[in-house]
Amino acid sequence: MGSYAVSLYPVLKAIKDMGEITPTNDKQTKFVEKYLAFGDLENVPELQVWVSLDAEELNQKLVGHGFQSRFSPFSSDQFGILSLLEIALQWLHAGESRVINAQNNRKYSGVHLDEADTSISVYRSWQHSHDVVSWRTKDDLTMVSVSFADRPLLGFALFDYVASIMVGRSIIGYSGVIFPCVSLHCTENMQWLVNMQVGYNRVAQATQENIIKMDEHGMEVKSATEMVMVAMSAVAVPVVPQAYIIDRPFYLWLSRVDCSFPLMVAYIDYNSWIGADKRDVE
């Protein structure tokens, strides 16, 4: 199925102050009841939002921030909302290059972060069958977490599942973590948002483009949510510590102090891993 990523914070930023939210399907209801009230938007200053009647104005923003998605021209009763999340993170100390012999019998470029140089914590969630390994970044607010994936997940289901396994019982740690270098670029049609009523407007289209890059120095995540609105009125633990090696598809997510749910989540399949022949690794 391939890799996939999703972030709800740009969606929240786009609609939270536009008026009363009226869900029209079960996913929208869950989104409003579980996430809208706990968006913690003040703790994510990297969020930006623009509203315009001119699609080209919003497209220029997309181009300027390195996204490929584009708005089509709006009809007389439509307007667009563009919401961006861009976060650049550095590891506490640069990792060492490694080769990962993955379970699909291919070699991939990997990174080893040693526990001595990186604040690594490990826990086991009651709702997930694999260890979760997390480490802090230089901003001292944002955590990166990984755990083997039991199955591929998409969209709201992926986000909801990862949000449910963010806490658990701490266990004995590993000596470090070895993960693949990642280059992910994906776009989703967020069909589950369509027809949601926001104030005096209705969501006609919603798409999200997500980019994740991760190597020995850190990671970069970028998310662009594009929404076309229709105005309904006037427009308004191991015994001997060892490295935790990610050698098969995995879930990846970013969390932040004082934020109630993940900044972004991803299912990373082999198609987003960087091959060992593309980098000089040991």
Side-chain angles (χ1 to χ4, degrees), residues 31 67 70 92 119 136 141 157 168 178 181 184 221 228 239 247 250 282:
F31 169 73
F67 291 97
R70 300 291 183 268
L92 294 176
S119 178
R136 288 198 175 278
L141 293 173
I178 299 174
C181 296
L184 179 155
V221 300
V228 176
V239 175
D247 58 359
F250 60 101
E282 299 177 356

Side-chain angles (χ1 to χ4, degrees), residues 25 30 32 69 107 110 115 193 195-196 225-226 247 274:
N25 61 45
K30 192 171 192 178
V32 171
S69 302
K107 296 180 183 295
E115 198 278 334
L193 283 171
N195 291 324
M196 183 169 65
T225 296
E226 304 111 48
D247 58 359
I274 297 176

Side-chain angles (χ1 to χ4, degrees), residues 47 50 67 92 110-111 115 144 159 181 187 190-191 226 265:
L47 286 164
W50 295 270
F67 291 97
L92 294 176
V111 176
E115 198 278 334
V144 176
F159 194 94
C181 296
T187 301
M190 304 183 85
Q191 186 66 29
E226 304 111 48
V265 306

Side-chain angles (χ1 to χ4, degrees), residues 97-109:
S97 297
R98 290 288 187 271
V99 170
I100 295 178
N101 297 301
Q103 294 192 11
N104 65 348
N105 297 317
R106 294 185 60 186
K107 296 180 183 295
Y108 294 92
S109 296

Side-chain angles (χ1 to χ4, degrees), residues 64-101:
H65 288 265
F67 291 97
Q68 298 177 0
S69 302
R70 300 291 183 268
F71 286 90
S72 298
F74 304 136
S75 61
S76 59
D77 62 343
Q78 293 180 335
F79 63 96
I81 304 175
L82 172 61
S83 183
L84 301 185
L85 172 65
E86 298 176 287
I87 300 175
L89 301 169
Q90 290 181 302
W91 309 141
L92 294 176
H93 298 275
E96 297 180 355
S97 297
R98 290 288 187 271
V99 170
I100 295 178
N101 297 301

